[in-house]
Amino acid sequence: MVDHIRWGVLGASAFARGQMARAIHAAEGAELFALATSSPEKAEGFRAFAPRLRVHDSYEALLADPEVDAVYVPLPNHLHVDYALKSLDAGKPVLVEKPLGLRAEDFDPVIAKRNETGILAAEAYMIVHHPQMQRARELVRSGTIGDLVHADCAFAFNIAGVDDNIRNRAETGGGALPDIGVYAFGSVRFVTGEEPDSILDASIRFENDVDTFAQVSARFPSFHYSGMVSTRAFARQRLTFHGTKGLIELTCPFNANVHDLAELHLQTDSASRTIERWPTANHYVLQVEAFGRALRGEEAYPCPLEFSRGTQEMIDMVYAAARR
């Protein structure tokens, strides 16, 4: 693999244009090289910051381009597995937007193909690359807040009535749990290193076969979890780890420096609080750079498919508990 990685993007989504394509363009050792879209108008939005961008009129043409070194897939959720496999079959390392699959078993053919080909494939789970999440993991696992007793999470925004948003459409794998449950559950798994033993309670609301609200209580081996995600509530996000000797709160754990400033508040006695801030860290750029280091063999990718599959397993457990 060359030191300078030329990336191709499958699809001109608004998120790709606004976040990930720009992150690829900004990342060290990476180049936004190619885009697959049948819409010249959408391509112009990318050429505004990458004027030398090569544009293919089909996904297959981009995958066949021998000058594309790696592929990013921001397509609707129900297409993720298919194009992850097609990318690997084309010999391209692939970074696929979350959720890669809509059930835990959806990950299995991609993991098998990765193992068969030896080509890197990963879910684009950017928050684990942010220093605030890595710092929270360090503090919790080092015992800074004592034994962990409880973790709680809230993540919400309101897209009611936005009918063309794929999060509101069952046929494209929409829903609050697939879209943002991955953050609520995956962040706690990443920080603690534990997996849920059981879902104690799950209350889910649906609109047009898409879940729009989920309140979840779960038991992990050493602590209790409670959380809420919703796509029908005022924007809010918080992540808290409560131990026997202290408390950690992340004020903007998921859309760092977009929803709010990324801060970690650490309190270990009643009289003092330490605040750490990361005003310039861009987890999308950090994600692209980590993928590049893994491609060059400099380090293992910090978010393998097995970790992402574990988050989907918890989502599956929540759906099953709600049905019961």
Side-chain angles (χ1 to χ4, degrees), residues 170-187:
E171 66 273 18
T172 55
L177 282 168
D179 188 55
I180 55 179
V182 294
Y183 296 128
F185 302 158
S187 60

PDB file of all heavy atoms in Angstrom, residues 170-187:
ATOM      1  N   ALA A 170     -38.188   3.065   6.707  1.00  0.00           N
ATOM      2  CA  ALA A 170     -37.907   1.675   7.063  1.00  0.00           C
ATOM      3  C   ALA A 170     -37.162   0.953   5.951  1.00  0.00           C
ATOM      4  O   ALA A 170     -36.288   0.118   6.212  1.00  0.00           O
ATOM      5  CB  ALA A 170     -39.214   0.945   7.383  1.00  0.00           C
ATOM      6  N   GLU A 171     -37.482   1.279   4.694  1.00  0.00           N
ATOM      7  CA  GLU A 171     -36.888   0.544   3.575  1.00  0.00           C
ATOM      8  C   GLU A 171     -35.398   0.817   3.408  1.00  0.00           C
ATOM      9  O   GLU A 171     -34.699   0.078   2.713  1.00  0.00           O
ATOM     10  CB  GLU A 171     -37.627   0.861   2.269  1.00  0.00           C
ATOM     11  CG  GLU A 171     -37.499   2.296   1.767  1.00  0.00           C
ATOM     12  CD  GLU A 171     -38.544   3.232   2.347  1.00  0.00           C
ATOM     13  OE1 GLU A 171     -39.156   2.890   3.369  1.00  0.00           O
ATOM     14  OE2 GLU A 171     -38.747   4.311   1.755  1.00  0.00           O
ATOM     15  N   THR A 172     -34.888   1.881   4.029  1.00  0.00           N
ATOM     16  CA  THR A 172     -33.458   2.173   3.949  1.00  0.00           C
ATOM     17  C   THR A 172     -32.736   1.883   5.268  1.00  0.00           C
ATOM     18  O   THR A 172     -31.619   2.336   5.474  1.00  0.00           O
ATOM     19  CB  THR A 172     -33.219   3.647   3.549  1.00  0.00           C
ATOM     20  OG1 THR A 172     -33.910   4.508   4.467  1.00  0.00           O
ATOM     21  CG2 THR A 172     -33.703   3.910   2.141  1.00  0.00           C
ATOM     22  N   GLY A 173     -33.408   1.129   6.154  1.00  0.00           N
ATOM     23  CA  GLY A 173     -32.776   0.762   7.417  1.00  0.00           C
ATOM     24  C   GLY A 173     -32.752   1.884   8.428  1.00  0.00           C
ATOM     25  O   GLY A 173     -31.830   1.984   9.242  1.00  0.00           O
ATOM     26  N   GLY A 174     -33.778   2.747   8.394  1.00  0.00           N
ATOM     27  CA  GLY A 174     -33.813   3.879   9.307  1.00  0.00           C
ATOM     28  C   GLY A 174     -34.190   3.486  10.716  1.00  0.00           C
ATOM     29  O   GLY A 174     -34.468   2.331  11.023  1.00  0.00           O
ATOM     30  N   GLY A 175     -34.189   4.488  11.594  1.00  0.00           N
ATOM     31  CA  GLY A 175     -34.547   4.277  12.983  1.00  0.00           C
ATOM     32  C   GLY A 175     -33.542   4.905  13.929  1.00  0.00           C
ATOM     33  O   GLY A 175     -32.374   5.099  13.577  1.00  0.00           O
ATOM     34  N   ALA A 176     -34.006   5.221  15.123  1.00  0.00           N
ATOM     35  CA  ALA A 176     -33.132   5.838  16.114  1.00  0.00           C
ATOM     36  C   ALA A 176     -32.052   4.880  16.598  1.00  0.00           C
ATOM     37  O   ALA A 176     -30.889   5.258  16.752  1.00  0.00           O
ATOM     38  CB  ALA A 176     -33.963   6.343  17.300  1.00  0.00           C
ATOM     39  N   LEU A 177     -32.422   3.629  16.852  1.00  0.00           N
ATOM     40  CA  LEU A 177     -31.423   2.665  17.342  1.00  0.00           C
ATOM     41  C   LEU A 177     -30.339   2.373  16.300  1.00  0.00           C
ATOM     42  O   LEU A 177     -29.153   2.412  16.637  1.00  0.00           O
ATOM     43  CB  LEU A 177     -32.118   1.378  17.798  1.00  0.00           C
ATOM     44  CG  LEU A 177     -32.797   1.467  19.174  1.00  0.00           C
ATOM     45  CD1 LEU A 177     -33.697   0.267  19.409  1.00  0.00           C
ATOM     46  CD2 LEU A 177     -31.757   1.584  20.282  1.00  0.00           C
ATOM     47  N   PRO A 178     -30.671   2.090  15.034  1.00  0.00           N
ATOM     48  CA  PRO A 178     -29.600   1.894  14.054  1.00  0.00           C
ATOM     49  C   PRO A 178     -28.729   3.132  13.861  1.00  0.00           C
ATOM     50  O   PRO A 178     -27.511   3.016  13.664  1.00  0.00           O
ATOM     51  CB  PRO A 178     -30.354   1.544  12.763  1.00  0.00           C
ATOM     52  CG  PRO A 178     -31.668   1.021  13.220  1.00  0.00           C
ATOM     53  CD  PRO A 178     -31.993   1.811  14.455  1.00  0.00           C
ATOM     54  N   ASP A 179     -29.335   4.312  13.918  1.00  0.00           N
ATOM     55  CA  ASP A 179     -28.589   5.532  13.613  1.00  0.00           C
ATOM     56  C   ASP A 179     -27.775   6.040  14.792  1.00  0.00           C
ATOM     57  O   ASP A 179     -26.597   6.377  14.639  1.00  0.00           O
ATOM     58  CB  ASP A 179     -29.543   6.625  13.138  1.00  0.00           C
ATOM     59  CG  ASP A 179     -28.794   7.848  12.626  1.00  0.00           C
ATOM     60  OD1 ASP A 179     -27.946   7.678  11.732  1.00  0.00           O
ATOM     61  OD2 ASP A 179     -29.049   8.952  13.125  1.00  0.00           O
ATOM     62  N   ILE A 180     -28.371   6.112  15.988  1.00  0.00           N
ATOM     63  CA  ILE A 180     -27.652   6.690  17.121  1.00  0.00           C
ATOM     64  C   ILE A 180     -27.567   5.767  18.338  1.00  0.00           C
ATOM     65  O   ILE A 180     -26.803   6.042  19.263  1.00  0.00           O
ATOM     66  CB  ILE A 180     -28.251   8.047  17.540  1.00  0.00           C
ATOM     67  CG1 ILE A 180     -29.750   7.941  17.850  1.00  0.00           C
ATOM     68  CG2 ILE A 180     -27.996   9.077  16.449  1.00  0.00           C
ATOM     69  CD1 ILE A 180     -30.374   9.271  18.290  1.00  0.00           C
ATOM     70  N   GLY A 181     -28.322   4.651  18.319  1.00  0.00           N
ATOM     71  CA  GLY A 181     -28.110   3.656  19.355  1.00  0.00           C
ATOM     72  C   GLY A 181     -26.701   3.101  19.324  1.00  0.00           C
ATOM     73  O   GLY A 181     -26.139   2.732  20.361  1.00  0.00           O
ATOM     74  N   VAL A 182     -26.099   3.073  18.132  1.00  0.00           N
ATOM     75  CA  VAL A 182     -24.712   2.604  18.024  1.00  0.00           C
ATOM     76  C   VAL A 182     -23.769   3.466  18.857  1.00  0.00           C
ATOM     77  O   VAL A 182     -22.772   2.974  19.393  1.00  0.00           O
ATOM     78  CB  VAL A 182     -24.241   2.565  16.556  1.00  0.00           C
ATOM     79  CG1 VAL A 182     -24.999   1.522  15.767  1.00  0.00           C
ATOM     80  CG2 VAL A 182     -24.365   3.926  15.893  1.00  0.00           C
ATOM     81  N   TYR A 183     -24.074   4.754  18.981  1.00  0.00           N
ATOM     82  CA  TYR A 183     -23.242   5.631  19.797  1.00  0.00           C
ATOM     83  C   TYR A 183     -23.493   5.414  21.288  1.00  0.00           C
ATOM     84  O   TYR A 183     -22.564   5.308  22.085  1.00  0.00           O
ATOM     85  CB  TYR A 183     -23.504   7.095  19.436  1.00  0.00           C
ATOM     86  CG  TYR A 183     -23.125   7.456  18.037  1.00  0.00           C
ATOM     87  CD1 TYR A 183     -24.038   8.086  17.185  1.00  0.00           C
ATOM     88  CD2 TYR A 183     -21.856   7.174  17.537  1.00  0.00           C
ATOM     89  CE1 TYR A 183     -23.692   8.418  15.889  1.00  0.00           C
ATOM     90  CE2 TYR A 183     -21.510   7.499  16.244  1.00  0.00           C
ATOM     91  CZ  TYR A 183     -22.427   8.119  15.420  1.00  0.00           C
ATOM     92  OH  TYR A 183     -22.090   8.444  14.132  1.00  0.00           O
ATOM     93  N   ALA A 184     -24.773   5.344  21.661  1.00  0.00           N
ATOM     94  CA  ALA A 184     -25.116   5.171  23.070  1.00  0.00           C
ATOM     95  C   ALA A 184     -24.539   3.875  23.623  1.00  0.00           C
ATOM     96  O   ALA A 184     -23.979   3.848  24.729  1.00  0.00           O
ATOM     97  CB  ALA A 184     -26.632   5.200  23.230  1.00  0.00           C
ATOM     98  N   PHE A 185     -24.663   2.782  22.864  1.00  0.00           N
ATOM     99  CA  PHE A 185     -24.199   1.485  23.344  1.00  0.00           C
ATOM    100  C   PHE A 185     -22.698   1.287  23.108  1.00  0.00           C
ATOM    101  O   PHE A 185     -21.979   0.809  23.980  1.00  0.00           O
ATOM    102  CB  PHE A 185     -24.971   0.358  22.642  1.00  0.00           C
ATOM    103  CG  PHE A 185     -26.462   0.425  22.836  1.00  0.00           C
ATOM    104  CD1 PHE A 185     -27.319  -0.205  21.943  1.00  0.00           C
ATOM    105  CD2 PHE A 185     -27.029   1.120  23.895  1.00  0.00           C
ATOM    106  CE1 PHE A 185     -28.693  -0.159  22.104  1.00  0.00           C
ATOM    107  CE2 PHE A 185     -28.408   1.184  24.073  1.00  0.00           C
ATOM    108  CZ  PHE A 185     -29.238   0.546  23.171  1.00  0.00           C
ATOM    109  N   GLY A 186     -22.236   1.647  21.921  1.00  0.00           N
ATOM    110  CA  GLY A 186     -20.832   1.426  21.585  1.00  0.00           C
ATOM    111  C   GLY A 186     -19.883   2.240  22.439  1.00  0.00           C
ATOM    112  O   GLY A 186     -18.795   1.776  22.786  1.00  0.00           O
ATOM    113  N   SER A 187     -20.270   3.464  22.788  1.00  0.00           N
ATOM    114  CA  SER A 187     -19.390   4.303  23.608  1.00  0.00           C
ATOM    115  C   SER A 187     -19.175   3.684  24.980  1.00  0.00           C
ATOM    116  O   SER A 187     -18.042   3.668  25.503  1.00  0.00           O
ATOM    117  CB  SER A 187     -19.980   5.706  23.751  1.00  0.00           C
ATOM    118  OG  SER A 187     -21.263   5.660  24.360  1.00  0.00           O
TER     119      SER A 187
END
